[in-house]
Amino acid sequence: MPWLVLGLLHLLWAMAGTSTQTRSSCSVPSEQWPWVDGLQALMEKSVTTSAFPNPSILIAMNLASAIDPEAQKLLTYKLLASDTADLTIGPLSLTIMALTSSCRDSGSKVSVLQKRMENWAPSSPNDEALAFYGPGLAILALCQKNPETTLPIAVRLAKALLANSSPFNVDTGAVVTLALTCMYNKIPVGSQENYRALFGQVLKVVVENISMNIKDNGIIGNLYSTGLAMQALSVTPEQPTKKWDCEKTMDTILKEIKQGKFQNPMSIAQILPSLNGKTYLDIPQVTCGPDHEVQPTRFNYPTPVPTSATNITVTYTINNQLRGVELLFNVTIEVSVRGGSVLLVVLEEAQRKNPMFKFETIMTSWGPVVSSINNIAEDVNHKTYWQFLSNKTPLDEGVAYYIPFNHEHITANFTKY
Ligand code: B12
Ligand SMILES: *[C@@H]1O[C@H](CO)[C@@H](O)[C@H](O)[C@H]1NC(C)=O
Ligand SMILES: *[C@@H]1O[C@H](CO)[C@@H](O)[C@H](O)[C@H]1NC(C)=O
Ligand SMILES: *[C@@H]1O[C@H](CO)[C@@H](O)[C@H](O)[C@H]1NC(C)=O
Ligand SMILES: *[C@@H]1O[C@H](CO)[C@@H](O)[C@H](O)[C@H]1NC(C)=O
């Protein structure tokens, strides 16, 4: 009676999925909600017919309840129509989760992802931690669709993580925690292999590393990894040795929000679920009734300070010392731009003054990335990129959002990850 066994197995999967939810959480105090609504409105405003559809925004919108139903529909249709052939593993996984959060079918996209992940293998134990970000999203998306067939792939990812020796990255650790927590919660009862021990062991190590990155003010990693890290710490079955103070993290995040630090729609998309007490594990449970009335918010989130009439001076250095790249250089220029300008304006001014500073950008979900300077281009195969620093400290925002101060020294350094 194979159908009976199969039915029983399904029942067990279903039961396993609901039995082990534990979570620590904290919430936004009621008087602070206008800030969060203002933030969400700013994010939704970035959804336009011309903009490239960003699945992370749809996920955030659905987990929080969309303010603008038109933006929600537009994004859903654009993502439904997107061609899987154009998407790498990470964006494809987010697209599947986004469609699930809009209660749409993503069946054919799921099978494409499943096939791609069956062929996935870590290239070496020295792989940079970042190499697990996309595969982590894939396990998370597949786990929500079909945990049974995802099990062997998740086991491969878990073992690769245990064997990996490269420096820890909080954003990646958070994604991996969400993925393996999803799997952990859906291990079939009575399965022969000790999946629970394996996933538990990896979760323990990763969560311990996340907690070692909690700053005194509650920020986890940096400001822009905190949203994902909060999700991870609030669902993990393996608690860190050092207890996480969720309230403190929430307080600091709200302070930073009021300072206008979340202008980038993608940065909002990654913090919004945590502000709403939600995580990516809640995606399959989103209910999609008829549009419920959400009051359009009249609260305006502060936009960046307008550029001032007076100019500031910024010193800008481009530096390539990487061996094996034909053209080595280290040149510096001083440029004058209006105070309050973003770094991109500095780069444009430098390029105008001296053709050696010419640069190119490519568009991504986070905005434009500087892909090439003075004809030296980033290359995924060589793991090279242009890193931006203020003095010796790497910037935590991209050129289209970072606002330099007077007499700041910005360096673009060609380096490896
Ligand atoms: C991997 C990664 C990188 C890799 C990307 C290449 C690769 N092959 O993997 C490298 C190391 C090159 C990189 C570079 C930078 N990164 Co980065 N990166 C990430 C990370 C960990 C995962 C992104 C990812 O793979 N997404 C998967 C798929 C699903 O999404 P995607 O949109 O297709 O992914 C692309 C973009 O995310 C893009 N990208 C990656 N980082 C950045 C940063 C900016 C500003 C932009 C515009 C695009 C961009 O590269 C991805 C692959 O093509 C995120 C963490 C996060 N929370 O998102 C940080 C993150 C996006 N990066 C960040 C930053 C600050 C940078 C740098 C500006 C750092 C610096 N000081 O130079 C530079 C970009 C500089 C430039 N030349 O313009 C911040 C952005 C915060 C913000 N508010 O803007 C994040 C959130 C990390 C953090 N917590 O601080 N990054
Ligand atoms: C995490 O922390 C442990 C020690 O607690 C360390 O052995 C391991 O290499 C770290 N890195 C990762 C990616 O887990
Ligand atoms: C690049 O130039 C700056 C000043 O112009 C100097 O301080 C720095 O040491 C140089 N770096 C290298 C690697 O040559
Ligand atoms: C002020 O900055 C602008 C660019 O933002 C530039 O075009 C202009 O030349 C600068 N003015 C002076 C006096 O340097
Ligand atoms: C710039 O990149 C080179 C090559 O990777 C590296 O050796 C150097 O330490 C980097 N400089 C800074 C300030 O990060």
Side-chain angles (χ1 to χ4, degrees), residues 322 387 389 392 413-415:
L322 268 193
Q387 182 182 52
L389 306 111
K392 297 276 176 290
N413 190 37
F414 195 61
T415 191

Side-chain angles (χ1 to χ4, degrees), residues 173-175 177-178 181 207 210 227-237 279:
V175 167
T177 299
L178 290 168
T181 299
V207 167
I210 294 177
L228 293 177
M230 288 174 82
Q231 289 194 34
L233 291 180
S234 66
V235 297
T236 173
T279 78

Side-chain angles (χ1 to χ4, degrees), residues 191-212:
S191 65
Q192 296 294 311
E193 306 259 0
N194 215 342
Y195 299 119
R196 189 169 283 264
L198 174 66
F199 295 146
Q201 186 191 358
V202 180
L203 283 167
K204 183 83 201 156
V205 175
V206 175
V207 167
E208 208 56 63
N209 277 313
I210 294 177
S211 84
M212 288 189 305

Side-chain angles (χ1 to χ4, degrees), residues 70-97:
E70 292 309 314
Q72 200 263 5
K73 272 185 211 135
L74 180 62
L75 207 40
T76 303
Y77 288 129
K78 278 191 162 194
L79 289 171
L80 268 175
S82 64
D83 186 352
T84 50
D86 302 339
L87 299 173
T88 53
I89 285 176
L92 177 57
S93 310
L94 287 168
T95 301
I96 290 168
M97 288 189 274

Side-chain angles (χ1 to χ4, degrees), residues 85-380:
D86 302 339
L87 299 173
T88 53
I89 285 176
L92 177 57
S93 310
L94 287 168
T95 301
I96 290 168
M97 288 189 274
L99 290 175
T100 304
S101 75
S102 277
C103 305
R104 296 311 173 100
D105 177 46
S106 54
S108 65
K109 290 183 167 68
V110 174
S111 18
V112 171
L113 181 61
Q114 172 85 25
K115 288 231 174 55
R116 287 205 205 158
M117 282 310 287
E118 276 162 6
N119 297 322
W120 174 83
S123 41
S124 93
N126 307 321
D127 265 356
E128 71 286 0
L130 300 177
F132 292 97
Y133 191 95
L137 288 173
I139 301 296
L140 180 56
L142 292 173
C143 171
Q144 296 178 353
K145 286 295 173 187
N146 195 342
E148 289 161 86
T149 55
T150 310
L151 201 49
I153 314 173
V155 166
R156 214 177 324 140
L157 181 93
K159 288 184 175 163
L161 281 163
L162 279 182
N164 190 272
S165 57
S166 56
F168 185 73
N169 173 267
V170 173
D171 304 79
T172 308
V175 167
V176 163
T177 299
L178 290 168
L180 294 185
T181 299
C182 177
M183 290 305 301
Y184 185 96
N185 289 343
K186 292 183 176 179
I187 296 166
V189 179
S191 65
Q192 296 294 311
E193 306 259 0
N194 215 342
Y195 299 119
R196 189 169 283 264
L198 174 66
F199 295 146
Q201 186 191 358
V202 180
L203 283 167
K204 183 83 201 156
V205 175
V206 175
V207 167
E208 208 56 63
N209 277 313
I210 294 177
S211 84
M212 288 189 305
N213 283 283
I214 304 178
K215 309 276 149 53
D216 289 342
N217 62 1
I219 292 300
I220 312 169
N222 70 14
L223 186 55
Y224 301 108
S225 52
T226 302
L228 293 177
M230 288 174 82
Q231 289 194 34
L233 291 180
S234 66
V235 297
T236 173
E238 293 288 344
Q239 293 306 310
T241 322
K242 178 184 153 197
K243 203 186 168 302
W244 169 50
D245 185 346
C246 180
E247 307 274 341
K248 190 195 257 177
T249 300
M250 192 65 102
D251 276 0
T252 304
I253 286 293
L254 287 166
K255 280 201 193 91
E256 299 285 356
I257 286 172
K258 292 175 194 169
Q259 301 293 312
K261 297 284 181 58
F262 289 84
Q263 300 291 337
N264 186 326
M266 182 61 172
S267 72
I268 302 175
Q270 290 193 352
I271 194 74
L272 208 54
S274 298
L275 295 173
N276 282 280
K278 294 279 166 53
T279 78
Y280 287 175
L281 298 193
D282 298 316
I283 289 171
Q285 279 87 48
V286 173
T287 49
C288 309
D291 298 332
H292 34 236
E293 279 306 308
V294 179
Q295 281 300 311
T297 169
R298 258 160 304 161
F299 181 84
N300 279 321
Y301 184 68
T303 42
V305 268
T307 52
S308 64
T310 50
N311 274 19
I312 60 165
T313 304
V314 178
T315 309
Y316 175 45
T317 298
I318 53 173
N319 188 7
N320 171 33
Q321 304 299 326
L322 268 193
R323 301 283 139 195
V325 178
E326 57 281 20
L327 188 61
L328 302 186
F329 54 83
N330 179 20
V331 271
T332 296
I333 192 173
E334 276 204 358
V335 295
S336 176
V337 297
R338 283 165 170 266
S341 302
V342 295
L343 181 53
L344 192 56
V345 175
V346 170
L347 268 60
E348 281 161 354
E349 185 63 12
Q351 168 173 260
R352 198 183 61 76
K353 284 176 79 175
N354 181 344
M356 200 179 173
F357 286 85
K358 72 168 178 290
F359 69 98
E360 283 162 24
T361 61
I362 48 164
M363 205 53 189
T364 74
S365 63
W366 281 92
V369 168
V370 175
S371 52
S372 168
I373 297 176
N374 194 19
N375 293 326
I376 302 294
E378 66 175 14
D379 184 337
V380 275

